[in-house]
Amino acid sequence: PYFDTHVGTYQGPKFTDKDHENLISLIRRTRGRVILSGSPNEIYDSATFWNHREEWGAEKKIKIESRSEGRTECLWVKH
């Protein structure tokens, strides 16, 4: 999940903080494996059930100005 941004061409509704908290609650109750990708943030980092967390730099294309800028991506894994 991404905070305060639309990513790619997806233009659906943005998650509220409550939506992110509900997703954490759902993942906590999930018995299977979960892989979550998004931008680094305290809500997901504060969950204690993750077995692995990976962070890397990524390039984001900005359509309006036809330029690119860097951002950080994060992957959380529960198994």
Side-chain angles (χ1 to χ4, degrees), residues 36-66:
L36 184 69
S37 174
S39 57
N41 62 76
E42 291 182 22
I43 292 176
Y44 294 100
D45 286 342
S46 66
T48 58
F49 52 76
W50 300 117
N51 302 101
H52 183 76
R53 181 186 182 280
E54 189 75 30
E55 199 173 285
W56 68 94
E59 190 174 288
K60 174 183 170 185
K61 296 273 184 183
I62 301 173
K63 291 182 180 182
I64 297 172
E65 299 176 23
S66 298

Side-chain angles (χ1 to χ4, degrees), residues 3-18:
F3 286 75
D4 300 324
T5 185
H6 283 298
V7 177
T9 58
Y10 175 72
Q11 296 297 317
K14 293 182 184 180
F15 268 30
T16 64
D17 284 348
K18 184 67 177 166

Side-chain angles (χ1 to χ4, degrees), residues 20-34:
H20 289 288
E21 291 167 7
N22 288 340
L23 181 56
I24 284 292
S25 180
L26 177 66
I27 293 169
R28 181 177 286 113
R29 294 187 316 265
T30 301
R31 297 176 111 183
R33 294 179 178 174
V34 176

